[in-house]
């Protein structure tokens, strides 16, 4: 089974910080760059990451599968 990990569409991100609030072990708001970043894609259970995705008002966080 392929693992999946979150990615952020940086151009769509509005830097609200919701993802970091919900899942700080995975996401961090980079205020200098003006968007959130994935700092540890496997730092939390997928269910927690999914909640962070659903809380994103820009809907700019998506799952991507690892290449085999």
């Amino acid at each position: 089974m392929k693992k999946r990990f979150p990615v952020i569409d940086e151009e769509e991100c509005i830097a609200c910080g919701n993802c970091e609030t919900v899942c700080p072990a995975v996401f961090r708001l980079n205020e200098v760059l003006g968007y959130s970043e994935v700092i540890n894609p496997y730092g939390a259970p997928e269910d927690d990451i999914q909640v962070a995705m659903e809380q994103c008002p820009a809907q700019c966080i998506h799952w991507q599968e690892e290449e085999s």
Side-chain angles (χ1 to χ4, degrees):
M1 185 171 139
K2 290 184 181 180
K3 290 180 86 172
R4 60 185 189 164
F5 56 93
V7 293
I8 297 175
D9 182 342
E10 299 161 356
E11 292 180 11
E12 298 294 320
C13 181
I14 61 172
C16 69
N18 283 359
C19 57
E20 181 179 22
T21 299
V22 174
C23 210
V26 176
F27 302 102
R28 176 176 46 214
L29 175 60
N30 187 323
E31 293 180 9
V32 173
L33 297 176
Y35 54 81
S36 290
E37 300 175 295
V38 176
I39 57 168
N40 183 1
Y42 305 110
E46 283 191 8
D47 289 346
D48 293 351
I49 297 170
Q50 184 65 44
V51 170
M53 291 176 166
E54 292 167 2
Q55 295 296 317
C56 177
Q59 296 295 293
C60 67
I61 310 170
H62 308 283
W63 289 111
Q64 184 170 326
E65 287 190 351
E66 285 185 335
E67 298 291 325
S68 45

